[in-house]
């Protein structure tokens, strides 16, 4: 359905609004103004602009990507999650997931009188335009307390036991070259 809707653009620009495909048969817009009242002209099917647009719209890779687009869900939550992962660095993925899970379920903040709170932002991408966003309740960090409590419990239980084995670094498996030889080899390769 999404791909057929996208490809229907090729017909729509030349004033064809039906028989787009098997699933998406006709345009979703209502009745259009008659040609004499319409200020914009339709493209001709064999015109250079129509052919160029058709070439862009119909690219296989582009249509394949359009099929994967979500018609009802936006990626804002996923982008927030990825920014948190970047904040904690990829090596701390579990910590990032805990942090995101704690913050993602926050409720819409209300004023003292019970009205929902919103804020107006001016992102650079909007070039002076604005975006209205809801204000969430304050973030909590309960997972930090739980992690510290569990860490202390584990430490207290293992006081008399041998510490667990820490594996050697991966680099310890390789033979370390003599520094002078390595530098000489490096300089000889780049002096030629």
């Amino acid at each position: 359905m999404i791909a057929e809707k996208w490809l229907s653009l090729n017909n729509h620009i030349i004033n064809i609004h039906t028989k787009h495909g098997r699933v998406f048969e006709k345009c979703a817009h209502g009745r259009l103004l008659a040609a004499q009242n319409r200020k914009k002209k339709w493209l001709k099917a064999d015109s250079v602009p129509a052919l160029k647009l058709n070439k862009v719209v119909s690219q296989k890779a582009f249509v394949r990507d359009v099929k994967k687009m979500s018609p009802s869900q936006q990626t804002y939550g996923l982008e927030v999650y990825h920014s948190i992962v970047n904040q904690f660095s990829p090596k701390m993925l579990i910590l990032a997931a805990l942090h995101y899970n704690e913050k993602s379920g926050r409720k819409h903040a209300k004023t003292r009188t019970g009205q929902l709170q919103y804020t107006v932002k001016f992102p650079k991408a909007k070039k002076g335009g604005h975006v209205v966003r809801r204000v969430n309740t304050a973030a909590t960090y309960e997972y930090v307390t739980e992690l510290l409590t569990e860490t202390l419990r584990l430490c207290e239980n293992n006081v008399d036991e041998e510490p667990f084995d820490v594996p050697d670094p991966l680099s310890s498996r390789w033979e370390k070259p003599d520094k002078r030889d390595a530098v000489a080899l490096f300089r000889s390769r780049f002096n030629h």
Side-chain angles (χ1 to χ4, degrees), residues 2 42-43 45 50 64 76-77 80 117 125 146 157-158 160 170:
I2 293 174
W42 297 104
L43 293 176
R64 184 183 63 234
Y76 179 74
V80 169
Q117 291 183 325
E146 290 177 33
N157 290 345
N158 293 327
D160 297 330
L170 291 175

Side-chain angles (χ1 to χ4, degrees), residues 47-69:
S47 69
V48 172
L51 294 173
K52 283 186 176 182
L53 183 60
N54 189 306
K55 185 177 179 181
V56 171
V57 168
S58 302
Q59 286 181 19
K60 286 184 182 180
F62 199 53
V63 173
R64 184 183 63 234
D65 288 346
V66 166
K67 286 180 187 177
K68 296 177 184 173
M69 293 173 66

Side-chain angles (χ1 to χ4, degrees), residues 9 20 34 47 66 83 85 145 153 191:
L9 181 63
H20 295 309
S47 69
V66 166
S83 93
V85 168
T145 306
R153 187 189 67 75
N191 282 336

Side-chain angles (χ1 to χ4, degrees), residues 112-159:
R112 289 182 185 159
T113 60
Q115 291 182 327
L116 297 175
Q117 291 183 325
Y118 295 92
T119 184
V120 178
K121 303 273 184 175
F122 297 90
K124 289 181 186 177
K126 290 282 188 179
K127 297 181 180 172
H130 68 276
V131 175
V132 177
R133 293 221 172 104
R134 69 183 235 174
V135 175
N136 291 327
T137 55
T140 60
Y141 300 93
E142 293 298 319
Y143 71 96
V144 175
T145 306
E146 290 177 33
L147 286 174
L148 289 173
T149 304
E150 184 63 16
T151 302
L152 289 173
R153 187 189 67 75
L154 289 171
C155 289
E156 288 171 356
N157 290 345
N158 293 327
V159 170

Side-chain angles (χ1 to χ4, degrees), residues 4 11-12 21 25 34 40 61 70 76 78-79 82 85 113 119 125-126 155 158 163 165 168 173-174 185 189-190:
E4 285 186 10
N11 287 339
H12 181 82
E25 296 176 0
K40 298 178 185 173
S70 171
Y76 179 74
L78 183 62
E79 290 169 11
H82 285 151
V85 168
T113 60
T119 184
K126 290 282 188 179
C155 289
N158 293 327
D165 293 330
D168 294 331
R173 297 179 185 168
W174 304 101
L185 178 63
R189 285 190 301 180
F190 291 100

